[in-house]
Amino acid sequence: MKERFRLLIGQALLVVVWLLVWEWTARMEILPPAFIGQPSGFFKIFYNHLIDGMFLLATVTTLNAVIVAFVLGSILALVTALSMTVFPILERLLSPIIDALNALPRVALIPLFILWFGLGFAQKVISGVSIMYFILLSYTLAGSKSVDPDHLRLARSLGMTRHAVFYNVVIPSAIPAIFAGLRLGMIYTVLGVITAELIAGGKGIGTLVSYYSNTFNPNGVFATLIMLIIITSVLTATMSRIENHFLRWRDFS
């Protein structure tokens, strides 16, 4: 605990020193404040938007799309990956198609999503799903293939059915990889939704970033990015707590 506390203090000091140097650089006009912003400016905007409720509205709007996209993408990726694990013929059939689709730049597809699904909620969800799906799929497949062959041989020698082997051996072994994919997938789901808001507009966090960028207000951009950092940090911490719970289940199962 002491080591962790010292680490947190050190990290906080680094951030404070960095912000002080940034503020000094802007005040002395070593670099133009209109280009780099300054902490006193964007923390004021951040505080004002917390008080007037603008960040709350934008956060709720963005999180609604993020949660739906994450749940939908997770279900699709897990079902696909686990089906490919149980039926290897599916992996041989689908792998080239999945690799080809994964190679597509999803940001470039957002205009198509807007054309197909409009400017509203649906296209933001599809944008998030299109990015996180392939990440979780890859991690889940890797985790399913990482099962110790000795464990599989032992399970078969004990007469376990394929269903029992899958549930009691494959799934517990794949859980760390699955949750690694879920944590990274959560971040990329946010990225997909934010990118869709940057392009299509609306009332989310991405729209605020786009507005302040288009009005040449770096302080507003940084204030919004601070809110985005808080959102992603909370989501990642939540995923870590859920992961710890499932890892304990695996250890006692």
Side-chain angles (χ1 to χ4, degrees), residues 178-192:
I178 290 173
F179 273 96
L182 286 171
R183 283 200 312 273
L184 189 60
M186 175 63 80
I187 294 172
Y188 276 90
T189 303
V190 175
L191 173 63

Side-chain angles (χ1 to χ4, degrees), residues 161-176:
T161 63
R162 175 180 291 187
H163 178 270
V165 171
F166 180 74
Y167 181 77
N168 294 296
V169 179
V170 176
I171 294 296
S173 298
I175 281 179

Side-chain angles (χ1 to χ4, degrees), residues 8 19 47 93 162 213 249:
L8 289 174
L19 291 174
Y47 175 77
L93 286 173
R162 175 180 291 187
S213 297
W249 165 80

Side-chain angles (χ1 to χ4, degrees), residues 116-251:
W116 295 337
F117 302 102
L119 292 171
F121 184 78
Q123 65 89 17
K124 294 196 293 184
V125 170
I126 297 300
S127 298
V129 170
S130 68
I131 294 180
M132 78 84 61
Y133 170 82
F134 295 99
I135 294 172
L136 181 55
L137 178 65
S138 299
Y139 273 81
T140 305
L141 283 174
S144 300
K145 294 177 181 178
S146 66
V147 181
D148 191 329
D150 291 336
H151 292 170
L152 292 176
R153 283 192 290 269
L154 177 61
R156 294 191 185 103
S157 68
L158 293 174
M160 295 177 65
T161 63
R162 175 180 291 187
H163 178 270
V165 171
F166 180 74
Y167 181 77
N168 294 296
V169 179
V170 176
I171 294 296
S173 298
I175 281 179
I178 290 173
F179 273 96
L182 286 171
R183 283 200 312 273
L184 189 60
M186 175 63 80
I187 294 172
Y188 276 90
T189 303
V190 175
L191 173 63
V193 171
I194 293 295
T195 304
E197 290 176 342
L198 281 168
I199 296 174
K203 297 181 179 180
I205 295 293
T207 305
L208 286 177
V209 174
S210 178
Y211 168 76
Y212 283 123
S213 297
N214 293 332
T215 55
F216 304 101
N217 186 342
N219 287 329
V221 173
F222 284 118
T224 310
L225 291 179
I226 291 173
M227 192 66 219
L228 184 58
I229 290 171
I230 293 172
I231 293 170
T232 53
S233 298
V234 170
L235 291 174
T236 303
T238 302
M239 286 303 305
S240 295
R241 291 182 67 88
I242 296 173
E243 179 183 8
N244 291 334
H245 171 76
F246 275 90
L247 287 178
R248 286 196 297 270
W249 165 80
R250 185 193 68 164
D251 292 337

Side-chain angles (χ1 to χ4, degrees), residues 15-27 30 36 39:
V15 172
V16 169
V17 170
W18 176 46
L19 291 174
L20 288 174
V21 171
W22 189 346
E23 180 73 21
W24 178 79
T25 301
R27 286 181 181 271
I30 297 173
I36 66 170

